[in-house]
Amino acid sequence: MTTLEDIAKAAHVSKMTVSRAINHPEQVRDELKINIFKVMHQLDYRPNVAAKALVRNRTQIIKFFILEDIDITEPYYMKLMVGLAERLAKQQYSLQLMTDRHLDIGGSDGYLITGMRAKDHEWLSRLELPFVTFGENRWHFNFVDTNNELGTQMATQYAFSRHYEHIIFIGMAVQEPYELSREKGYTHVMQAQGMVPEIKRFNNHSRIAMHYIQTQLATIPANTCFVCASDRLAFGVEKGILEVTGSVGNNYGVIGFDGVFLDQVATPKLTTIEQPMLDLGTRCADMLLAKINHPEQSLEDCLLKPRLKLGGSTR
C-alpha cells in the first residue's frame, strides 16, 4: 500500500508538505500541489479516510433530515440528494438519510434539513452541530433556496408577454416563507401592471386544482392564464381545462413551478419555472462544509435564479 512517505519521495518534497496538500490544500502553492496530486494518481494513493477522520475528531458523515411527510422517491428530492451526495463525496463525506428527528442514531459532523415548518423552529434552535436548511425561513437559520419571488415574477411577466388579459394565482394553502415569496412575486407584477391580484389557495394536490377548474371555469373569462405555485397544482389545472374545453394554451394558459418531473409527463408539457435542483444540492453541501470547517465565519444565505421552461400549456 502506498504511503505518504512514498508520495513525498516521488514528488521530492517532505512528508509534511504532502500531508498539508491533502488536508489544507489552500496552504500549498498551486504548482507544488499539482505535482503532488499527479504523483498520488500515478502511485494510486488512497487516503485513509477513517484515520483522517479520527485525527480531526470527525465522523465524515452528514445527516440529511426530511421533516415533512413526503415520498422520498419523488424526483424533486432525488435530484436534490444527488447534488448533495456528489459534492459531499468529493470531500470524502457520506450522506445519511433521516426521516425522523432522532439525533442519537449514530454520530455526524452536521445536518442538512429540508421540509422545515414553523413548528420545527424550537427543535432546530436546540441543535448543537452546524446545520443548513434547504428552504428559506424567517428565523435567520442559514438556508439555500430557489429565488421563489423572482420565479413567479418571471411566470407572471411571461403571461403578460403572451397577451393574456387576466392572470390568476393558484397557490398552496400554507403560510410558509416559500409560498409567501411566490405569492409576493405574482402580486408585485400585477400591481406594476395596475391590476388587482386574484389568489386562490388549495392543498398541494392536483385533483383539488382539477376539481376547482371543472366547477368554476365557466365563471372565469377567456384569455386567462393560471400562474401556479407548483407543477402539481398546474397539472391539475391543465387537466381540468382540457376536460372542460378540450384544449389548453389559447383561451386558458397554465404556468407551473418546479420543473423536475410533472411538467414533462403533462400533455401538453407544462410551461413552468424550473428550479436548479442539482445546483441547490451542491450549494447546500458547500455551505454546510464551510460552517463545519470555519465555524467562526458568518455566511450569507443563498438564493439561486430559476429558469423559465417553455411547454405547450401557454401560447
Side-chain angles (χ1 to χ4, degrees):
M1 181 180 294
T2 304
T3 65
L4 286 184
E5 190 171 347
D6 296 328
I7 301 298
K9 185 180 297 185
H12 306 291
V13 297
S14 69
K15 183 178 175 181
M16 182 177 294
T17 300
V18 175
S19 177
R20 190 178 295 119
I22 295 172
N23 297 302
H24 302 285
E26 72 281 357
Q27 299 178 9
V28 180
R29 289 183 291 109
D30 287 344
E31 59 270 23
L32 192 58
K33 186 165 49 184
I34 291 171
N35 182 47
I36 291 171
F37 289 159
K38 182 179 179 181
V39 171
M40 289 170 60
H41 178 71
Q42 291 172 343
L43 298 183
D44 195 28
Y45 175 71
R46 297 284 192 276
N48 189 325
V49 177
K52 179 180 176 181
L54 186 63
V55 170
R56 301 172 65 194
N57 195 27
R58 298 280 178 84
T59 65
Q60 296 303 118
I61 294 172
I62 297 298
K63 290 186 177 182
F64 179 42
F65 285 88
I66 299 179
L67 300 185
E68 61 181 327
D69 185 19
I70 55 93
D71 178 2
I72 61 172
T73 63
E74 185 168 328
Y76 181 88
Y77 287 97
M78 292 301 293
K79 287 190 175 183
L80 180 69
M81 284 191 284
V82 168
L84 287 171
E86 287 183 347
R87 180 51 58 94
L88 290 174
K90 290 181 178 179
Q91 299 299 321
Q92 299 178 323
Y93 267 91
S94 297
L95 186 66
Q96 183 179 23
L97 179 63
M98 308 293 291
T99 55
D100 57 33
R101 294 164 175 77
H102 291 160
L103 299 176
D104 55 349
I105 303 177
S108 68
D109 296 333
Y111 312 124
L112 291 163
I113 297 167
T114 188
M116 175 189 173
R117 297 294 181 260
K119 60 183 174 59
D120 299 309
H121 169 252
E122 183 180 354
W123 178 75
L124 288 170
S125 298
R126 297 198 304 268
L127 296 181
E128 297 180 356
L129 292 177
F131 70 90
V132 169
T133 71
F134 170 62
E136 55 185 302
N137 64 81
R138 61 177 73 100
W139 292 283
H140 306 294
F141 299 138
N142 283 128
F143 71 82
V144 175
D145 203 349
T146 299
N147 191 327
N148 293 294
E149 182 178 347
L150 175 61
T152 46
Q153 284 183 4
M154 294 165 60
T156 310
Q157 288 166 345
Y158 182 73
F160 277 116
S161 76
R162 305 316 296 163
H163 307 295
Y164 290 104
E165 296 177 357
H166 311 281
I167 316 290
I168 297 175
F169 186 78
I170 306 296
M172 289 178 268
V174 293
Q175 290 294 309
E176 297 296 340
Y178 69 93
E179 170 63 21
L180 298 177
S181 292
R182 293 179 190 184
E183 292 186 13
K184 184 179 179 181
Y186 158 79
T187 300
H188 176 79
V189 176
M190 292 292 285
Q191 291 175 340
Q193 293 286 336
M195 299 181 66
V196 178
E198 184 176 351
I199 299 176
K200 308 292 182 182
R201 300 182 183 90
F202 307 105
N203 291 334
N204 192 28
H205 298 295
S206 60
R207 56 180 177 79
I208 297 176
M210 182 175 67
H211 177 73
Y212 163 73
I213 294 297
Q214 289 171 329
T215 58
Q216 299 298 319
L217 192 62
T219 68
I220 298 173
N223 208 19
T224 291
C225 186
F226 298 92
V227 172
C228 303
S230 73
D231 281 347
R232 195 174 296 277
L233 290 171
F235 188 79
V237 170
E238 183 183 71
K239 288 182 66 177
I241 293 171
L242 287 170
E243 288 198 13
V244 175
T245 70
S247 65
V248 67
N250 189 22
N251 287 331
Y252 297 100
V254 185
I255 302 177
F257 198 116
D258 283 331
V260 294
F261 176 64
L262 283 177
D263 62 303
Q264 295 298 298
V265 299
T267 306
K269 294 180 179 179
L270 289 170
T271 294
T272 191
I273 299 300
E274 182 181 36
Q275 299 197 63
M277 297 308 301
L278 290 175
D279 288 344
L280 287 165
T282 296
R283 294 296 186 92
C284 282
D286 286 342
M287 182 179 288
L288 180 58
L289 292 175
K291 294 189 73 169
I292 292 171
N293 294 322
H294 306 286
E296 73 287 351
Q297 292 185 1
S298 177
L299 300 177
E300 291 187 3
D301 299 324
C302 178
L303 289 174
L304 296 188
K305 183 179 179 179
R307 181 177 75 93
L308 178 66
K309 186 178 181 181
L310 299 181
S313 63
T314 49
R315 293 184 183 130

